[in-house]
Amino acid sequence: MTTLPDRLLTILRDFARSREGTFVVLSGAGISAESGIPTFRGKEGYWVVGSREYMPEEMATFAMFSRRPDEVWAWYLYRRGVCHGAEPNAGHQAVVKLEELLGDRFLLITQNVDGLHLRAGNSPERTYQIHGNIDFMRCATECGAPIAKLPELPLKPKGEGLTETERAALRCPGCGGLGRPHVLWFDEYYDEEHFRFHSSLRAAVAATVLVVVGTSGATNLPMQVGHAALEAGATIVDINPEPNPFSTLASRADRGFFLQGPSSEYLPLLAEAIAGGGGA
Ligand code: NAD
């Protein structure tokens, strides 16, 4: 049976009882893996353009979008269909429970673009989607039009090219120019306006507990969040079946824990521990 270390249980109950400090969850693709959404580390993510197979790290770039907007949009529409077909799992539900228990003492920073945290019930106010959301688009030429929800479109089979109907539906609603997925690509920079860069770092510095779940630490802001929380003396908990840069970080913290296993098992235990301490 999966259990939490006694020392962590005590820390979490004390945290809940104290009614002070904040609890930050930083999630990555791993939390949605058990909902059937592939992470970027499997064969499923590959996409064929012409005669070549591209890895997600090559497709998810502004450089690729500039050269091949139709192929990049087709890939995103396919991935959006996968996200729509998925349901939140026990890990997502536990993160909702944590927010219900802790209220304003809770914050979620997610790298996931799948929208599953919000569908599970986390509030938009306390959820920073630092890599965007696959259900939204914005103007590729930054005409100033607000971010818009993508229109409903038929499910996109893998490997199918963009249709005329889709191409027309994906124009910027403001200027009629090219629209782009509202996500942060690998060759782009974080900002506050779209991706809550400064707010995330502020939250990390103020965190009493930082729970990192399902991320390989390959992206920049999540690693900065981890280091800032470590330097500020937070309790750091990393949940992941595999060792990763955050488990190394946790091993350097005075109060650090690596819970090696799936998020659907460990996150409910964290929520139970907080509930045992009386929540907010
Ligand atoms: P990643 O694909 O680089 O790493 C996934 C991590 O999850 C790995 O460390 C893996 O060991 C771990 N993992 C696998 N199964 C798990 C489980 N059941 N419980 C807990 N952990 C598990 O993901 P990343 O670090 O989030 O970075 C990938 C980038 O791609 C991010 O920018 C993200 O926005 C994007 N992405 C998003 C989704 C999504 O929205 N669901 C999916 C794939 C990629």
Side-chain angles (χ1 to χ4, degrees):
M1 199 180 74
T2 309
T3 53
L4 296 183
D6 285 345
R7 185 158 168 260
L8 178 56
L9 267 175
T10 306
I11 289 172
L12 293 175
R13 286 179 186 148
D14 288 350
F15 167 80
R17 271 187 214 111
S18 79
R19 297 174 189 269
E20 281 174 6
T22 53
F23 190 105
V24 177
V25 175
L26 168 63
S27 72
I31 193 173
S32 295
E34 290 169 89
S35 294
I37 301 179
T39 66
F40 270 2
R41 317 191 122 221
K43 184 73 186 150
E44 302 95 328
Y46 283 66
W47 193 256
V48 178
V49 178
S51 57
R52 232 199 98 182
E53 278 191 340
Y54 286 86
M55 294 192 304
E57 290 82 350
E58 296 172 284
M59 288 301 291
T61 60
F62 186 73
M64 179 63 109
F65 182 74
S66 306
R67 285 198 308 275
R68 302 232 185 208
D70 284 8
E71 280 85 352
V72 172
W73 260 123
W75 185 63
Y76 272 97
L77 290 184
Y78 162 69
R79 286 184 62 82
R80 180 193 187 215
V82 173
C83 296
H84 282 192
E87 292 299 327
N89 64 53
H92 297 102
Q93 303 297 356
V95 179
V96 174
K97 184 81 188 156
L98 284 165
E99 180 172 357
E100 285 169 0
L101 288 164
L102 293 167
D104 282 341
R105 299 175 66 196
F106 171 91
L107 182 74
L108 171 60
I109 301 174
T110 186
Q111 298 171 79
N112 294 345
V113 298
D114 57 33
L116 282 187
H117 284 298
L118 296 178
R119 274 174 54 203
N122 282 113
S123 71
E125 301 73 38
R126 299 192 192 106
T127 304
Y128 295 171
Q129 298 181 105
I130 60 169
H131 291 174
N133 185 315
I134 203 161
D135 256 334
F136 289 79
M137 61 184 277
R138 61 183 201 268
C139 183
T141 54
E142 295 178 25
C143 75
I147 295 164
K149 195 154 195 315
L150 285 184
E152 287 307 320
L153 291 165
L155 211 61
K156 187 95 190 139
K158 186 165 190 176
E160 189 187 276
L162 207 64
T163 65
E164 274 307 322
T165 312
E166 288 163 346
R167 198 171 290 116
L170 297 169
R171 308 302 295 180
C172 166
C175 68
L178 196 57
R180 57 161 285 173
H182 175 52
V183 296
L184 181 73
W185 281 324
F186 282 100
D187 55 353
E188 295 183 311
Y189 294 103
Y190 292 97
D191 64 15
E192 177 62 22
E193 184 193 358
H194 291 132
F195 304 111
R196 309 304 301 264
F197 178 73
H198 297 294
S199 300
S200 298
L201 286 179
R202 270 198 302 274
V205 171
T208 314
V209 180
L210 173 69
V211 176
V212 183
V213 50
T215 175
S216 66
T219 50
N220 180 288
L221 179 56
M223 283 316 296
Q224 286 196 55
V225 166
H227 282 285
L230 176 74
E231 275 162 35
T235 295
I236 298 190
V237 181
D238 180 44
I239 303 175
N240 198 312
E242 307 291 338
N244 64 85
F246 293 100
S247 55
T248 308
L249 218 59
S251 71
R252 286 169 42 203
D254 289 338
R255 303 199 298 177
F257 302 86
F258 176 34
L259 307 179
Q260 189 162 13
S263 43
S264 63
E265 285 184 22
Y266 276 116
L267 283 169
L269 297 182
L270 297 189
E272 269 174 40
I274 293 293

